[in-house]
Every structure is written in structure tokens, then in C-alpha cells.
């Protein structure tokens, strides 16, 4: 293998590893992308629906006077903030870019958000220490947002798991193929030892001598067979 061929093989291997790294960092949600997109849309709708009493999700997000009047607690604030950041923001980015890291962040954030949603609903049904009246119950926006967070956790978990099982097997297969090509390239570059060259030359000379000796023997036998016939005819 010449130096140019070696450089070409090295560049090809570098490009292959770069492509493998890029593919390994991507996800393929398939039909789940439609479900996640619908969940993102429903999460946006839940922010404009009543969260508790007259306070909508946007009121809780911005802590307006309506949210203060409804005695919104910390779990409700955490739930709405995380739903906007992870359920809408990172889920949308993960769908657009198909990046595995963003899908992981969306999964982790929505998982925590689902727990925060459960606590937010619980606070809407629990009377506080300083409260004289029961708070208004959980509104449609809060219940819808919690359901959306749970669905997002399920689908993002399946997407990430499918990526791990499929892409890891694909990466292992590609590494094995690259190792085989590298071993083949090294075998072509390995020089032949002088002793091996001499042995091959001796074998070639021996084979040529054997063939020459065989041809001479056959010629002698042929002449020997023809000589008695010529003598008998002379007599």
C-alpha cells in the first residue's frame, strides 16, 4: 500500500468516525414525534386555562394579582415553570433538532414536573395553616398540564430507550467493522521478511529445476525408445 492510499484510508476512517458520532447523538422518534407535538400543543393550551379559581396558568407563571388572590403555593409555581421550560421548550427543541441530549433533558424535566404537578393538585385540596377558607380546587389547566407531563415522560422515555438499544448495537457493529478494516490495512502494510523472500526464491528455483529435470528425463526416455528400432532396421 502506497503512502497516498494510506492517507486516503486514514481520511476515510476519520470521516466514518465523525459520521458515527453524529448519528450516535441523534434520535429517531418516528410516530411518537406526532404524539409529542400534540402534547406540546396541549401544554400551551393548559397555560391559558384556569389553574386555580380565576387564575390561569399564565397568571401563575407571572404571579399576577389573580394568582396572589387564589393563594397559589410553591408547588404550583414550580409545576407551571417546569411545564413551560421542559414540556414546551426542550420538547420542541428535541423534536426540531433530533438531538439525544435534548431528549434526555426533556425526559428528566418532565419527570420532575409530573411529581410537581401531583403536589400542586394536592395543595389545591389542602387547607393551609393560616387560611380560614378552603382554597379553590384544581382547575382544568392544572389537570390537563399534569396529564400532558405524564404522557411526555412516557414517550420521551421510550424514545431514549429505543435510541440506547438500537444505536449502541449499531455503534458496536461499526466499531467491529472499522477494526477489521484497520487490521486488513495493517496486513497490507506489513513488509515481507528477507528470510521469507529467500525461502520463496529457493522454492521457485527448486520448482524450476524439478520441472527442467523432468523434461530432460522424458526426452532421454523418448530417445532411448527410438534407438533400438533404428538399429533393427539397419540389420
Amino acid at each position: 500500500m502506497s503512502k497516498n492510499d494510506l492517507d486516503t484510508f486514514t481520511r476515510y476512517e476519520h470521516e466514518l468516525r465523525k459520521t458515527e458520532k453524529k448519528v450516535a447523538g441523534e434520535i429517531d422518534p418516528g410516530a411518537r414525534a406526532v404524539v409529542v407535538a400534540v402534547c406540546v400543543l396541549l401544554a400551551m393550551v393548559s397555560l391559558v386555562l384556569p389553574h386555580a379559581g380565576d387564575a390561569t396558568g399564565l397568571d401563575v407563571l407571572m404571579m399576577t394579582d389573580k394568582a396572589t388572590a387564589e393563594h397559589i403555593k410553591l408547588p404550583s409555581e414550580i409545576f407551571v415553570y417546569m411545564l413551560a421550560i421542559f414540556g414546551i421548550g426542550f420538547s420542541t427543541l428535541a423534536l426540531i433538532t433530533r438531538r439525544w441530549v435534548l431528549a434526555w433533558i426533556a425526559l428528566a424535566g418532565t419527570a420532575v414536573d409530573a411529581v410537581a404537578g401531583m403536589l400542586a393538585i394536592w395543595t389545591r385540596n389542602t387547607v393551609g395553616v393560616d387560611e380560614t377558607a378552603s382554597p379553590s380546587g384544581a382547575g382544568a389547566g392544572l389537570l390537563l398540564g399534569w396529564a400532558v407531563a405524564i404522557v411526555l415522560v412516557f414517550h420521551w422515555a421510550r424514545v431514549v430507550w429505543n435510541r440506547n438499544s438500537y444505536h449502541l448495537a449499531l455503534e458496536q457493529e461499526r466499531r467491529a467493522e472499522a477494526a477489521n478494516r484497520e487490521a486488513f490495512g495493517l496486513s497490507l502494510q506489513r513488509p515481507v521478511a528477507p528470510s521469507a523472500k529467500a525461502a520463496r526464491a529457493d522454492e521457485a528455483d527448486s520448482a524450476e529445476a524439478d520441472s527442467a529435470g523432468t523434461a530432460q528425463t522424458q526426452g532421454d526416455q523418448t530417445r532411448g525408445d527410438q534407438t533400438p528400432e533404428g538399429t533393427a532396421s539397419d540389420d
Side-chain angles (χ1 to χ4, degrees):
M1 181 180 289
S2 64
K3 184 177 180 181
N4 293 332
D5 294 337
L6 181 60
D7 293 339
T8 302
F9 182 79
T10 303
R11 286 195 301 269
Y12 174 74
E13 183 180 4
H14 178 70
E15 292 294 332
L16 182 63
R17 290 182 179 179
K18 183 193 245 180
T19 304
E20 178 184 348
K21 185 177 180 180
K22 180 180 178 182
V23 172
E26 295 179 351
I27 59 172
D28 184 14
R32 297 184 187 278
V34 179
V35 180
V36 173
V38 172
C39 288
V40 171
L41 180 61
L42 292 177
M44 294 179 182
V45 173
S46 70
L47 293 179
V48 299
L49 292 177
H51 184 93
D54 294 334
T56 62
L58 292 176
D59 292 328
V60 177
L61 189 64
M62 295 181 290
M63 282 306 295
T64 61
D65 294 337
K66 289 183 179 180
T68 304
E70 292 295 337
H71 303 285
I72 299 298
K73 303 299 180 182
L74 182 61
S76 296
E77 297 179 30
I78 294 175
F79 169 74
V80 173
Y81 275 108
M82 297 191 69
L83 182 64
I85 295 173
F86 298 101
I88 298 176
F90 277 98
S91 294
T92 303
L93 289 176
L95 284 180
I96 294 175
T97 61
R98 302 297 178 93
R99 301 305 300 172
W100 176 67
V101 175
L102 295 178
W104 255 113
I105 294 175
L107 171 60
T110 52
V112 177
D113 192 37
V115 178
M118 180 184 65
L119 294 177
I121 295 174
W122 176 71
T123 57
R124 301 317 305 170
N125 296 283
T126 303
V127 180
V129 176
D130 297 332
E131 304 220 3
T132 58
S134 299
S136 56
L142 177 57
L143 296 176
L144 178 61
W146 185 46
V148 166
I150 294 174
V151 175
L152 285 175
V153 171
F154 173 76
H155 284 283
W156 279 131
R158 294 298 299 270
V159 169
V160 171
W161 175 259
N162 289 338
R163 183 266 173 196
N164 287 340
S165 59
Y166 173 73
H167 283 80
L168 289 178
L170 186 61
E171 289 173 14
Q172 185 177 3
E173 181 180 355
R174 288 178 178 176
R175 288 194 182 97
E177 185 178 357
N180 292 333
R181 284 196 298 268
E182 184 176 0
F184 178 73
L186 292 176
S187 65
L188 295 178
Q189 300 175 32
R190 188 178 298 112
V192 180
S195 58
K197 289 183 179 180
R200 291 178 184 178
D202 293 340
E203 290 177 0
D205 294 340
S206 299
E208 185 178 356
D210 293 339
S211 61
T214 302
Q216 184 177 0
T217 302
Q218 291 177 354
D220 294 341
Q221 290 179 355
T222 302
R223 287 193 298 270
D225 293 338
Q226 292 177 356
T227 301
E229 293 180 359
T231 306
S233 61
D234 291 337
D235 292 340

